[in-house]
């Protein structure tokens, strides 16, 4: 359960936190909050200081119904920020949230460490082979369609079974292309309705059949705030609850907007686990 990030071996047998840095104007929770270098650097430093192992940076909003962004616009948004962060924080482990191989290649060349692909290679036929050439960890998410169409594609006969088949095929392709470090992301909210999201969280351990680390991203999502009849900015408590459930059910990485609280969840659960030695 280790992955090689820029020469550093990261042990995922103890859960780790991935902090979200959105540089998009239209992300569902924090879109447009980080508009200049000072704001971006301050937020990144805050997350690293709070205990984030990884920082995930994205320049293409993947919320349901999000606007399409050209590859030129995505490049213009993300490349200067990758360069800025790598220069300011030389040890940073940057994860690049993109489904485009050209963006992946450019960001890794600037010092990023991981590729986080919401489509698992489905939206760019070159992505998996490019990641194999780059020799970096690859997070492959389960999704049907695209951010523009996925909301209408939540029909399944057997959600977990179909997801395991999807990942088996994707992992086989990734291995064939030389990708050594693979992390799977169930894709909460991506072509899944609220009931399916909760069912997936409850049965997360059934994805362990892949024998790969699992990343869970439920931070402030609609499965929380719509269930509680609140807004996303009020969903921190609900996020902590579901992150705790995810860790108990086998998650290795928690992708969050609020790093401090996620680190506290892990710390408390680790203490709880260690207390068993006193029985």
């Amino acid at each position: 359960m280790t992955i090689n990030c820029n020469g550093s071996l990261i042990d995922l047998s103890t859960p780790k936190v991935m902090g979200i840095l959105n540089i998009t104007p239209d992300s569902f929770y924090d879109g447009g909050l980080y508009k200049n270098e000072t704001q971006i650097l301050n937020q990144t430093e805050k997350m690293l200081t709070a205990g984030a192992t990884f920082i995930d940076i994205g320049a293409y909003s993947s919320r349901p119904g999000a606007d399409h962004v050209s590859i030129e616009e995505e490049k213009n948004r993300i490349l200067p920020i990758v360069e800025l962060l790598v220069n300011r924080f030389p040890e940073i482990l940057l994860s690049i949230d993109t489904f485009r191989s050209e963006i992946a290649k450019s960001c890794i060349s600037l010092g990023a460490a991981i590729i986080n692909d919401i489509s698992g290679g489905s939206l760019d036929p070159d992505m998996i082979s490019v990641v194999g050439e780059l020799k970096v960890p690859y997070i492959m998410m389960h999704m049907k369609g695209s951010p523009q169409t996925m909301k209408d594609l939540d029909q399944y006969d057997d959600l977990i079974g179909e997801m395991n088949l999807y990942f088996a095929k994707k992992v086989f392709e990734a291995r064939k292309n030389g990708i050594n470090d693979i992390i799977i992301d169930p894709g909460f909210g991506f072509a899944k309705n609220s009931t399916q999201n909760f069912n997936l969280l409850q049965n997360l351990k059934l994805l362990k059949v892949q024998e790969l680390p699992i990343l869970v991203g439920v931070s402030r999502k609609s499965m929380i705030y719509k269930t509680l009849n609140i807004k996303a900015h009020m969903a921190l408590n609900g996020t902590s609850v579901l992150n705790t459930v995810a860790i108990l059910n086998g998650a290795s990485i928690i992708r969050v907007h609020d790093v401090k609280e996620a680190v506290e969840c892990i710390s408390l659960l680790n203490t709880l686990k260690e207390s068993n030695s006193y029985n």
Side-chain angles (χ1 to χ4, degrees), residues 189-254:
F190 288 78
K192 301 169 191 72
N193 60 38
S194 183
T195 300
Q196 291 165 339
N197 286 326
F198 279 100
N199 177 264
L200 177 56
L201 184 62
Q202 180 69 19
N203 293 287
L204 193 66
K205 287 182 179 178
L206 296 180
L207 297 181
K208 300 292 280 186
V209 68
Q210 305 297 332
E211 298 184 338
L212 292 169
I214 298 173
L215 179 148
V216 166
V218 296
S219 182
R220 296 183 180 269
K221 285 187 174 178
S222 63
M223 65 182 289
I224 299 170
Y225 66 78
K226 287 185 178 179
T227 298
L228 299 177
N229 195 27
I230 57 177
K231 300 295 184 182
H233 72 272
M234 301 168 66
L236 176 55
N237 185 54
T239 296
S240 294
V241 171
L242 295 196
N243 279 339
T244 301
V245 174
I247 295 165
L248 289 172
N249 286 346
S252 298
I253 301 174
I254 302 295

Side-chain angles (χ1 to χ4, degrees), residues 63-257:
R63 64 176 175 79
D67 292 336
H68 179 74
V69 175
S70 70
I71 191 166
E72 291 79 15
E73 178 63 22
E74 188 178 359
K75 272 186 175 181
N76 290 338
R77 288 178 180 177
I78 200 168
L79 296 186
I81 306 307
V82 171
E83 193 166 15
L84 173 72
L85 294 179
V86 169
N87 286 336
R88 178 61 64 91
F89 309 103
E91 303 302 314
I92 195 170
L93 298 179
L94 272 184
S95 166
I96 303 301
D97 183 356
T98 186
F99 57 81
R100 289 167 165 154
S101 59
E102 188 175 335
I103 300 291
K105 190 181 296 185
S106 297
C107 290
I108 295 299
S109 72
L110 291 174
I114 301 171
I115 298 302
N116 180 9
D117 179 2
I118 61 169
S119 80
S122 297
L123 294 178
D124 183 339
D126 295 327
M127 177 63 98
I128 289 181
S129 62
V130 165
V131 175
E133 292 167 5
L134 295 172
K135 299 299 180 188
V136 295
Y138 183 52
I139 302 168
M140 55 171 65
M141 195 182 80
H142 175 270
M143 178 180 71
K144 293 197 291 185
S146 69
Q148 291 74 34
T149 64
M150 63 184 179
K151 192 173 181 181
D152 300 319
L153 299 174
D154 60 356
Q155 296 82 35
Y156 302 88
D157 294 323
D158 175 4
L159 176 62
I160 301 294
E162 289 177 39
M163 289 180 65
N164 270 322
L165 181 60
Y166 167 94
F167 282 124
K169 291 178 178 177
K170 293 290 186 183
V171 170
F172 177 79
E173 185 181 359
R175 297 290 191 212
K176 189 170 66 174
N177 280 275
I179 302 177
N180 296 318
D181 297 322
I182 301 170
I183 298 154
I184 63 172
D185 177 353
F188 288 91
F190 288 78
K192 301 169 191 72
N193 60 38
S194 183
T195 300
Q196 291 165 339
N197 286 326
F198 279 100
N199 177 264
L200 177 56
L201 184 62
Q202 180 69 19
N203 293 287
L204 193 66
K205 287 182 179 178
L206 296 180
L207 297 181
K208 300 292 280 186
V209 68
Q210 305 297 332
E211 298 184 338
L212 292 169
I214 298 173
L215 179 148
V216 166
V218 296
S219 182
R220 296 183 180 269
K221 285 187 174 178
S222 63
M223 65 182 289
I224 299 170
Y225 66 78
K226 287 185 178 179
T227 298
L228 299 177
N229 195 27
I230 57 177
K231 300 295 184 182
H233 72 272
M234 301 168 66
L236 176 55
N237 185 54
T239 296
S240 294
V241 171
L242 295 196
N243 279 339
T244 301
V245 174
I247 295 165
L248 289 172
N249 286 346
S252 298
I253 301 174
I254 302 295
R255 183 179 180 272
V256 299
H257 299 91

Side-chain angles (χ1 to χ4, degrees), residues 256-272:
V256 299
H257 299 91
D258 309 279
V259 170
K260 176 178 176 289
E261 290 79 3
V263 169
E264 289 175 349
C265 285
I266 293 171
S267 179
L268 289 170
L269 288 172
N270 286 342
T271 302
L272 185 66

Side-chain angles (χ1 to χ4, degrees), residues 2-98:
T2 61
I3 58 173
N4 188 331
C5 299
N6 284 347
S8 297
L9 289 179
I10 307 300
D11 181 7
L12 298 181
S13 60
T14 299
K16 301 295 187 291
V17 173
M18 175 178 283
I20 300 169
L21 182 66
N22 282 319
I23 53 174
T24 55
D26 58 343
S27 291
F28 78 94
Y29 169 61
D30 56 358
L33 283 182
Y34 312 114
K35 298 177 181 177
N36 58 53
E37 290 188 0
T38 299
Q39 291 171 327
I40 288 168
L41 289 171
N42 286 345
Q43 177 62 9
T44 302
E45 184 172 28
K46 176 183 175 183
M47 291 192 290
L48 291 172
T49 301
T53 300
F54 313 101
I55 301 296
D56 190 56
I57 180 171
Y60 186 122
S61 176
S62 56
R63 64 176 175 79
D67 292 336
H68 179 74
V69 175
S70 70
I71 191 166
E72 291 79 15
E73 178 63 22
E74 188 178 359
K75 272 186 175 181
N76 290 338
R77 288 178 180 177
I78 200 168
L79 296 186
I81 306 307
V82 171
E83 193 166 15
L84 173 72
L85 294 179
V86 169
N87 286 336
R88 178 61 64 91
F89 309 103
E91 303 302 314
I92 195 170
L93 298 179
L94 272 184
S95 166
I96 303 301
D97 183 356
T98 186

